[in-house]
Each structure stands twice: as structure tokens, then as C-alpha cells.
Amino acid sequence: MRIPRRTLLAALPALAAPAIPRAQTTEITIQYAQPNIFKESKDAIAAAFADREPGIRLNWITTPEYEAGQQLMLRQAATQVTIDLAYQGLNRQRVLAERGLAADLAPFIARDGGAEALGYSAPILAQGNWGGIQAGLPYAMSNPITYANVAVLRRAGIDPDALPTSWEEHLALHARIKALGDGIDPSYIDFGGGEWMWSSWLFSYGGRFLTPDERNVAFTGPEGIAAMRVLDRMVKAGMPNMTGAAAQQSFGAGKIGLHYRSTALLRNMIQVSGRSFELRTYGFPTVEGGRLVLPVGGSAGMITARDPAKREAAWKFLKFSTSPEGTALMVKNTGYVPCNQIAIDDPRWLGEFYRDNPLFQTATRQVPISVPWYAFPGGQGVRISQIFLDGIARIMQQQATPEVVIADIGREVQRLLPRA
């Protein structure tokens, strides 16, 4: 059979062209909680990462809060969902590490230059050290702050340039704001997913959650009762019983004077207030007779991939998300405190941003008085958080006294503690 000359010539370039190997793509699945807070920062970091690592494809799974994220990780084997990198709440790392679900990040850090060269300080690394390994790498940290509607303060005769710093004084301010009427509520405090915000009062009074051996509850004494009385007095002073989302919208509408919640919501609070009124941030008030102690909130990345290629890809993304560049993107798109020391010290990354955005400075000033987010032993941490929320709800609804609520929470938590 003769092949037409034209057909043969057309085929020659294809026959002569060398075979170009197709670049291999590694896909990893990443889980994180609270997309209402983190999505913009994750999207910005993912876009920057794609320019550097086009061979790594990212798939995302989100959960509404940290507690759901932990439960997803614990049952992923049963649901056939494979997560390679999980950004867990700082207090939710413990159970994953103790169950052997997290890779030790120390070898990765050492291989790539060491902690100091990467910007990971000892206090930061300590937030992810569980089960004798570097189980997590902090991505974002937060602490409680005070958000204020300056217009409401001025209407109540309160000087926004000299806001008091104690809860006793703030409770007096609540009464003055309540007297304005016009549907304006004096205050709101958001407890989020459990005992985190409340623990600031407990710690500030010198209390602790459990005994040193973690066998028995230790918060049912005078310190825990005093901590719950602060909330009880806020409710009696006119704080409304509503959800955190509803309170955020009410604050944005100019109907709440003082709003106490995590700095993580700063970007959201700026957005809801818009240009309706001047928003300012202040430190979290301290209790009478105590010293201010604040729990560190936030999340840390934990590598759970078993496949070597996926594990390496997960490390590359985790390292970038916690790098100076990734940290700067996280801070600018949320309200969290940076976790990379280079991003903090080098003015190229955040110095100019903090100078131009004073609302973000409040949380960074409170870092020296922050302590780790307490993680309960065993696998019942999520249930314990719900027990605290249920008790707090009883105070919000004025169904029981602080003494009764604390005693009831103590009995329920004691039953869930590990026996050994």
C-alpha cells in the first residue's frame, strides 16, 4: 500500500517530536473550621501557594466550628474521608496527637533549616507540642478583646479615650448605656464554642479547670463561682440573650455599646459596622482582686497524611501558610495574632499594616498575658465544652444561680474524666 506523500510529510513532525513527560500532580485534602472567619485568608494563601507549587492540588473540607472538625477527624476512617492536613483548634490537638493520628513535624522543621530560620519561636511551638511530639504548628492565635461603639459611649457620657479597665467599672458603664433606652443593649459577650471565654475569668481569679493529676475537677470552688457571677451580673445589667451571630448584626446596627469577643472576628466586626459608627478596640477587662489572664485561641495545622507524597505536599502547604508571607496574609484577612516571629519582627511583612490599622494592635499587646487554651484529657473534650455552654445558657436565661450552675457542671464533667 502506498502512503500519499502529503500524509507522510504531515506525520513527520509528530513522529520526530520528543515525548514530553506530563507533570505529576499530588492532590491533598485540607480541613479547617470557621470558614466565616478563615475563608478569605485561606483563599489568599492558596492562590499564592499555587504560583509556587503548581504540582500540588488542594481540596478543601470545612466545618462550622473546631468541635465538628475534631469529630470529623476521629471518624474519618469510618466515613471514607481521607484528610491529609487539618487545622484544628489549639485545644483539640491533644486527642488527635495522643491517638497517634498526627505526624511529628520536628523532622520537617529540622530538615528545612530549623525553627529559628523558619520563624517559629519556642512559645509558638509549645502551642502544638502534644504527646511528646511536635503534633501541630500554630497558624493563627487570638485572645478576647473589647469592641466598642464610640457613638453609643459618647451618648452615655462615657469618654472613649479613657475607658475603664476592670469588670467592676464596666458593669457601671453597662447601667449608663442601658439608661439610654432606644432599644440599645449595654453589652454582649460571646462564648463561642464552649468554655474558652469563660476561662479568662476563672484563670484571672486564680482558678484552674482540673487538679494537677487531671483526675478531678478544680473549678467548683470560690474561683469558679466568682467567674460565673461576673456573667450573672452582666445579664442582670441588661445583656440580651441571643446568639453570637445575632449579636454581631445587632452591634453592626448600632444597638450594642460594648461587645466582648475574640479578636478573630475583628475583620467581620469592621465589615458589619461599616461607616455607620466609629469602631474602637480595647483590652479585655480584668476582675477585681485578680490579675488579667487570657486564654490563647486559634488553630494549628496537623499533618495526618499516611502516603509519603501527600505528607510531603501537606508539609509544603503548612510551611507556606505559617511562613512570614502566609502569616501576613492571614493577619490582614482576619484579626488574629501572627504566629511567625519573622513576620512580627521584619517590618516588610506587618510593621506597616499595624501602623496603619490600630484596631489590630489591641490583641498583639495582650500576648504577654496569654496562656494556652486548656485541653481536657481523654476523648470527651467536645462534650465537656457543651456542658459548659449549657450551664452558661442557664445563667443567660436566669434559670439558676452561679453556685448551682457551677456545681452541676462540676458533677457532669467529673463523670467524663479518664479514670487513669
Side-chain angles (χ1 to χ4, degrees), residues 144 167 189-192 194-205 207-209 218-232 284 287 293-295 373 376 388-389 391-392 395 402 405-406 409-410:
W167 279 108
I189 186 165
D190 179 40
F191 289 96
E195 71 287 347
W196 180 72
M197 185 75 80
W198 182 82
S199 71
S200 174
W201 292 332
L202 177 67
F203 298 155
S204 295
Y205 277 117
R208 57 187 301 157
F209 279 111
F219 59 83
T220 55
E223 300 88 358
I225 294 172
M228 201 61 78
R229 281 176 179 163
V230 179
L231 173 61
D232 187 58
F284 201 63
V287 297
V293 180
L294 301 176
W373 190 352
F376 287 91
F388 272 93
L389 277 180
I392 287 168
I395 296 291
V405 168
I406 281 293
I409 294 175

Side-chain angles (χ1 to χ4, degrees), residues 347-357:
R348 292 180 303 167
W349 298 110
L350 289 169
E352 201 172 295
F353 173 78
Y354 280 122
R355 187 190 66 219
D356 297 339
N357 296 273

Side-chain angles (χ1 to χ4, degrees), residues 80-382:
Q80 298 182 336
V81 175
T82 302
I83 296 170
D84 303 300
L85 172 61
Y87 288 84
Q88 292 284 299
L90 294 178
N91 69 327
R92 303 304 177 195
Q93 299 174 87
R94 180 175 183 173
V95 64
L96 300 182
E98 291 179 347
R99 295 192 180 192
L101 299 177
D104 186 358
L105 302 177
F108 291 98
I109 294 171
R111 184 198 69 188
D112 289 359
E116 184 177 353
L118 295 174
Y120 307 140
S121 66
I124 292 296
L125 290 178
Q127 296 287 339
N129 203 305
W130 297 97
I133 65 170
Q134 191 64 48
L137 196 55
Y139 165 75
M141 296 196 307
S142 64
N143 51 54
I145 63 173
T146 303
Y147 298 86
N149 181 326
V150 172
V152 170
L153 295 185
R154 288 200 167 108
R155 281 185 59 190
I158 300 167
D159 183 2
D161 296 321
L163 199 70
T165 59
S166 74
W167 279 108
E168 198 68 31
E169 294 167 307
H170 272 240
L171 286 165
L173 300 184
H174 298 171
R176 293 168 65 176
I177 296 172
K178 182 67 176 177
L180 293 175
D182 197 25
I184 297 176
D185 292 310
S187 65
Y188 183 81
I189 186 165
D190 179 40
F191 289 96
E195 71 287 347
W196 180 72
M197 185 75 80
W198 182 82
S199 71
S200 174
W201 292 332
L202 177 67
F203 298 155
S204 295
Y205 277 117
R208 57 187 301 157
F209 279 111
L210 303 182
T211 55
D213 62 4
E214 297 190 317
R215 300 278 185 91
N216 298 286
V217 299
F219 59 83
T220 55
E223 300 88 358
I225 294 172
M228 201 61 78
R229 281 176 179 163
V230 179
L231 173 61
D232 187 58
R233 292 180 65 188
M234 291 180 70
V235 175
K236 286 179 167 61
M239 185 175 76
N241 180 22
M242 62 175 68
T243 65
Q248 182 173 299
Q249 293 302 315
S250 183
F251 182 80
K255 294 299 183 180
I256 294 178
L258 294 166
H259 193 131
Y260 311 95
R261 70 187 312 167
S262 170
T263 183
L265 276 295
L266 177 53
R267 180 66 66 182
N268 294 31
M269 297 292 274
I270 292 172
Q271 291 173 348
V272 298
S273 60
R275 297 182 179 178
S276 302
F277 57 85
E278 181 186 351
L279 170 67
R280 289 195 194 178
T281 60
Y282 301 87
F284 201 63
T286 189
V287 297
E288 290 294 314
R291 65 181 186 90
L292 185 59
V293 180
L294 301 176
V296 172
S299 66
M302 308 181 77
I303 295 179
T304 54
R306 300 300 180 189
D307 177 78
K310 289 180 178 289
R311 183 174 286 198
E312 183 66 27
W315 164 247
K316 286 182 177 179
F317 183 79
L318 175 58
K319 182 174 70 169
F320 180 74
S321 72
T322 57
S323 69
E325 181 177 354
T327 295
L329 290 171
M330 180 278 297
V331 169
K332 293 174 183 178
N333 285 281
T334 61
Y336 280 92
V337 175
C339 297
N340 187 289
Q341 196 63 42
I342 297 173
I344 297 170
D345 296 338
D346 192 330
R348 292 180 303 167
W349 298 110
L350 289 169
E352 201 172 295
F353 173 78
Y354 280 122
R355 187 190 66 219
D356 297 339
N357 296 273
L359 294 179
F360 288 77
Q361 295 176 14
T362 300
T364 61
R365 288 196 294 266
Q366 294 187 144
V367 169
I369 55 173
S370 297
V371 296
W373 190 352
Y374 187 74
F376 287 91
Q380 301 294 336
V382 173

